[in-house]
Amino acid sequence: AKRNGPASCCAYTPELRRALAARLATESCLREAVAADRIDVHFQPLVRLTDGGIHGFEALARWRLEDGSSVPPDVFIPIAEEAGLISDLSTHLLRRACKTALAWPSGLILAFNISPLQLVDILLPERILAVLAETGFPAHRLSVEITESGFAADLERALDIIGRLREAGVRIAIDDFGTGYSSLSQLANFPVDKLKIDRQFIANFLTSDKQMKIVRAIVQIGLGLGIATLAEGVETEEEHRRLRALGCQLGQGYLFAAPMPADEVATYLAGLSDP
Ligand code: C2E
Ligand code: CA
Ligand code: CA
Ligand code: CA
């Protein structure tokens, strides 16, 4: 019965020692960055395609290094997940984002990304609601973005977590819709507030008939179920125009604005209302 003991399956090789050392170094760097307030939150506008009005902003994390460069979230979020830091980091980011968003006009939504790993954490709703209570940010103005892969690990638990957030008034958006584990059947059982059409479909829907059909189909699902659709990665006027014609309500992308530091949001909003 001792056949699978640690000594037989993973000997303490130099490679293992290096891998462990690198991981511990990265983990302690990340902890230090959180403690030293070097993880920033930038904000990108979510725009109403019909009238160009602002629906809200998505919070996007940035790890600022001492040399002025920054580590993108696609790189450090997986490290935080692996190191078991994602829950603490996420709470820290949400607190920062909520405090910032309190200064915005009161109709605006704060969209916040949740890692698929967090959808197995039964304490997630309490953690989020505690930040809302602490900061005074209203639940109905928070939109939690989850990817379809968040449903893959434990569907029941994920639905329980989402259900408790919805009961508290928090909005739910499906991020990168169309790329992951199919949650189509879940949409009917468990309505969400928003479908975010993944950037990969928007990137070439004007030139690819297939991509166009996918985008049109997602918008139609949204219209049929009464769920708003948002196109990610809108970069040109032509994309904007076609998406609006398809009935897609919201868009996000460099055409409107890149993610910006918190202190630029007020100037950005002022520039829109007074061109
Ligand atoms: P996402 O949620 O799909 O976020 C959209 C990404 O597309 C952002 O990349 C944004 O900067 C980028 N983007 C926006 N408009 C355009 C455009 O017009 N063209 C192009 N090419 N890209 C555009 P970013 O900020 O590097 O974030 C990458 C991913 O990291 C996010 O993808 C999200 O999954 C994750 N992430 C970011 N912040 C957080 C966070 O606080 N927590 C968690 N768990 N994940 C986060
Ligand atoms: Ca997102
Ligand atoms: Ca996305
Ligand atoms: Ca994405």
Side-chain angles (χ1 to χ4, degrees):
K2 284 244 165 169
R3 256 187 320 145
N4 295 322
S8 65
C9 74
C10 41
Y12 192 59
T13 60
E15 296 90 85
L16 179 57
R17 188 168 53 209
R18 267 195 298 276
L20 287 172
R23 179 178 155 163
L24 288 175
T26 313
E27 176 178 336
S28 77
C29 271
L30 198 52
R31 276 189 202 283
E32 229 177 270
V34 173
D37 231 8
R38 268 185 277 119
I39 311 279
D40 287 336
V41 187
H42 283 205
F43 296 91
Q44 187 178 33
L46 313 178
V47 178
R48 287 195 304 267
L49 296 182
T50 44
D51 64 0
I54 304 301
H55 172 70
F57 289 84
E58 177 176 5
L60 293 159
R62 301 284 181 267
W63 178 358
R64 188 166 28 87
L65 299 179
E66 264 145 12
D67 67 2
S69 63
S70 75
V71 185
D74 283 338
V75 173
F76 74 83
I77 295 289
I79 294 172
E81 288 174 340
E82 252 192 73
L85 287 171
I86 190 65
S87 177
D88 286 352
L89 175 62
S90 187
T91 299
H92 170 84
L93 291 169
L94 181 62
R95 189 180 291 121
R96 291 275 301 266
C98 285
K99 283 182 182 166
T100 299
L102 275 175
W104 302 343
S106 64
L108 299 188
I109 300 301
L110 168 66
F112 187 80
N113 293 284
I114 289 293
S115 150
L117 278 188
Q118 295 179 273
L119 278 186
V120 299
D121 176 6
I122 49 167
L123 294 177
L124 180 70
E126 279 138 77
R127 291 185 216 280
I128 290 176
L129 299 179
V131 173
L132 294 177
E134 173 200 328
T135 58
F137 192 74
H140 71 271
R141 288 180 56 200
L142 178 66
S143 173
V144 162
E145 300 196 350
I146 55 189
T147 57
E148 294 172 273
S149 54
F151 299 122
D154 186 338
L155 179 63
E156 297 247 317
R157 191 182 293 190
L159 293 180
D160 173 55
I161 290 169
I162 293 165
R164 283 190 287 139
L165 287 170
R166 281 183 59 95
E167 265 166 40
V170 174
R171 301 167 185 237
I172 308 291
I174 306 289
D175 209 345
D176 304 347
F177 188 75
T179 61
Y181 174 91
S182 174
S183 53
L184 276 183
S185 59
Q186 290 309 318
L187 285 180
N189 297 335
F190 214 93
V192 295
D193 304 280
K194 194 185 291 153
L195 299 179
K196 296 190 78 172
I197 308 170
D198 193 69
R199 194 169 74 221
Q200 77 176 60
F201 300 120
I202 307 303
N204 44 29
F205 83 112
L206 292 182
T207 51
S208 156
D209 190 45
K210 264 194 188 143
Q211 307 282 62
M212 173 61 83
K213 282 177 172 152
I214 291 171
V215 172
R216 185 184 290 128
I218 295 175
V219 171
Q220 285 302 319
I221 290 170
L223 291 171
L225 294 174
I227 303 171
T229 46
L230 180 149
E232 296 186 328
V234 181
E235 296 186 353
T236 68
E237 270 304 343
E238 181 62 7
E239 287 165 355
H240 178 185
R241 200 184 61 73
R242 296 292 289 276
L243 286 161
R244 190 172 48 201
L246 287 176
C248 181
Q249 292 99 331
L250 298 164
Q252 172 178 9
Y254 299 158
L255 172 66
F256 309 111
M260 61 189 86
D263 60 5
E264 288 176 17
V265 168
T267 317
Y268 171 77
L269 290 172
L272 289 178
S273 55
D274 141 71

